[in-house]
Amino acid sequence: MSAIARAAGGAPAPAAAQPTIPTTTDLAEIIDKGQSFCLNQDSAHTMSNLFIGDERLFLQSDTDEQLIMQITFRDTVNVEAISFVAPLDEYAPLTVKLFANGLNLSFENCEELKPTQEFQLTPADLAPDAMTKLYAVKFQRLNTLTIFVEDSNGADVTRISGLKLFGTTVIGTNMAEFKKVG
């Protein structure tokens, strides 16, 4: 017992609890698949195939190689990495632009607006266990993520067989839990 605690006649104060550090996880359970959608998808190969985990099923673009996927989350999230799985051929996505909290973007918007992050996918990026790190500070407190696939590796259409997002949920304040004091 410290001298101050003894002098005050009380027990020592308990050590402050250490804050828990959230760990990066697959955000698949946080994606609201009913509110998420894809523009220019082939009706036989839709975005829902991306979340099944079977590489034989895939999302394919319809009229050209471009795709816009709007991913909506059930909770606010911080996204730190993204993983694309695709065939290692001319159908693979090449140029990808990400827009944080970009709602209802058109193809024209995606081509003209400055993306939050842009990158070119390599064959190594398309492996099932690969993750492309994002500028995490730019992808904080997201409710939606718009993914624009600008082009493929040369084919007239783009194919993606898997998509995973990694990050953390944001712990919010539930105002219903507050009680008036005094």
Side-chain angles (χ1 to χ4, degrees):
M1 190 180 299
S2 73
I4 295 172
R6 275 192 301 256
Q18 295 297 319
T20 57
I21 299 170
T23 57
T24 299
T25 60
D26 183 349
L27 297 173
E29 295 300 315
I30 309 298
I31 295 173
D32 187 342
K33 294 170 183 75
Q35 294 297 314
S36 299
F37 61 88
C38 182
L39 299 177
N40 193 36
Q41 67 183 349
D42 183 321
S43 60
H45 303 285
T46 64
M47 186 168 118
S48 61
N49 290 340
L50 295 179
F51 306 108
I52 294 174
D54 185 343
E55 290 182 37
R56 296 172 297 175
L57 301 174
F58 51 88
L59 164 65
Q60 179 172 297
S61 61
D62 188 23
T63 59
D64 61 19
E65 71 273 25
Q66 294 186 333
L67 289 164
I68 295 178
M69 293 172 271
Q70 182 173 305
I71 309 296
T72 303
F73 300 101
R74 288 191 185 107
D75 293 322
T76 303
V77 298
N78 297 332
V79 180
E80 299 170 19
I82 190 167
S83 172
F84 290 93
V85 178
L88 299 178
D89 58 19
E90 68 272 8
Y91 295 101
L94 180 61
T95 306
V96 175
K97 296 180 179 181
L98 304 178
F99 297 88
N101 287 323
L103 289 174
N104 301 318
L105 295 176
S106 67
F107 287 96
E108 186 176 314
N109 294 143
C110 289
E111 290 173 344
E112 293 176 359
L113 295 174
K114 180 177 171 82
T116 309
Q117 186 169 346
E118 178 176 357
F119 47 86
Q120 299 246 328
L121 294 170
T122 66
D125 295 326
L126 300 172
D129 58 345
M131 274 197 277
T132 301
K133 294 284 187 185
L134 303 180
Y135 303 132
V137 71
K138 294 186 176 190
F139 293 94
Q140 293 182 1
R141 305 193 64 76
L142 297 188
N143 296 307
T144 63
L145 176 66
T146 301
I147 302 168
F148 174 52
V149 178
E150 190 167 32
D151 52 21
S152 67
N153 274 313
D156 291 338
V157 296
T158 299
R159 290 183 183 158
I160 303 171
S161 53
L163 174 69
K164 289 186 180 179
L165 298 164
F166 298 92
T168 57
T169 56
V170 176
I171 310 285
T173 303
N174 184 349
M175 297 304 284
E177 294 177 0
F178 278 102
K179 295 181 181 164
K180 186 175 181 179
V181 177

